[in-house]
Amino acid sequence: MNILVIDVGGTHVKILASGEKVKREIDSGPTMTARQMISQVKELANGWKYDLVSIGYPGPVVHDRPMAEPHNLGKGWMGFNFAAAFKLPTKVINDAAMQALGSYQGGKMLFLGLGTGLGSAMIVDGIVQPMELAHLPYKKRTYEDYVGARALEEFGGKAWRKHIEDIVEILVAALQPEDVVLGGGNARKLKKLPPLCRLGDNANAFKGGFRLWEGPPQAKSSCLHKQTAQAATAH
């Protein structure tokens, strides 16, 4: 079973196939359509063997099709049939959910992706639930307005990190996760992680894409619960 994983982003589209060690990528941007992405990915993946496809899409997805146009790409994504375009079995999932799946170690996990915006997902006992927390109201704007890339520029690093701490505290209190993963490109700019949090890795998006076909990972719940219990006691 050879799988091609495609991680669609607002600035790059990254791909990796089963058995390959080095990812490949192309520029995306505000003019890239779904059909253009398919055409360029097929060319980019030349020489790789794959018979299944996983796609991480930057937006809501239902039944393997995007339900809204992306903010940072071109038009023509909503409702697009990727399986028909590839002529292969294809699974499409929200990109934050795909990275969350690759980060999962068991139990009840909250994933927050700190990138251009704010991606979010939860996994409970191996079941992935994409979430749209970014545009919920917070202070005078939304969560995304205080922790996204523009917020980092607007408020500066110190205030940006404080907003992340506050928002993580609110979401942990509301959702009661045992584990919180902070992923996305800006997560490594945090000087200190909030309680219960661990740092994710963008490479986990590929791991999540493989797991879409391989089934949910074995939960390491006993180890995880011990770690979170110790963290909770420490704080």
Side-chain angles (χ1 to χ4, degrees), residues 15 21 23 26 37 43 53 106 112 137 149 151 155 160 170 192 204 223 227:
I15 68 172
K21 302 299 183 183
K23 69 181 180 182
I26 52 174
M37 187 276 285
E43 183 177 349
V53 180
L112 298 174
F155 301 125
W160 175 77
I170 291 169
K192 181 181 178 182
N204 286 338
C223 176
Q227 291 173 345

Side-chain angles (χ1 to χ4, degrees), residues 57-61 65-71 77-79:
Y57 174 76
V61 175
R65 297 193 186 190
M67 294 304 294
E69 297 291 352
H71 293 291
W77 296 80
M78 188 168 64

Side-chain angles (χ1 to χ4, degrees), residues 214-235:
E214 296 166 356
Q218 293 294 319
K220 303 173 184 176
S221 55
S222 58
C223 176
L224 178 64
H225 293 169
K226 181 179 179 181
Q227 291 173 345
T228 53
Q230 289 173 342
T233 301
H235 295 279

Side-chain angles (χ1 to χ4, degrees), residues 59-99:
V61 175
V62 176
H63 301 309
D64 297 308
R65 297 193 186 190
M67 294 304 294
E69 297 291 352
H71 293 291
N72 301 308
L73 298 170
K75 301 296 183 181
W77 296 80
M78 188 168 64
F80 190 84
N81 189 334
F82 291 97
F86 273 108
K87 298 181 180 178
L88 291 171
T90 301
K91 292 185 179 183
V92 186
I93 189 173
N94 172 264
D95 59 345
M98 190 165 80
Q99 190 174 153

Side-chain angles (χ1 to χ4, degrees), residues 95-175:
D95 59 345
M98 190 165 80
Q99 190 174 153
L101 185 58
S103 306
Y104 184 62
Q105 294 181 355
K108 185 178 181 181
M109 186 195 82
L110 170 65
F111 175 86
L112 298 174
L114 305 174
T116 303
L118 174 65
S120 56
M122 285 200 75
I123 304 181
V124 180
D125 296 333
I127 305 300
V128 185
Q129 178 58 58
M131 306 183 79
E132 291 293 327
L133 301 176
H135 304 296
L136 292 178
Y138 174 72
K139 293 186 179 290
K140 296 181 179 180
R141 306 184 202 172
T142 68
Y143 286 129
E144 184 172 271
D145 290 321
Y146 286 88
V147 300
R150 283 178 293 185
L152 179 57
E153 296 179 5
E154 179 180 351
F155 301 125
K158 184 176 180 180
W160 175 77
R161 286 188 284 270
K162 182 61 168 63
H163 286 308
I164 291 173
E165 290 177 5
D166 292 345
I167 287 172
V168 168
E169 183 177 357
I170 291 169
L171 294 178
V172 166
L175 301 172

Side-chain angles (χ1 to χ4, degrees), residues 101 210-218:
L101 185 58
F210 295 131
R211 282 180 172 176
L212 278 177
W213 293 97
E214 296 166 356
Q218 293 294 319

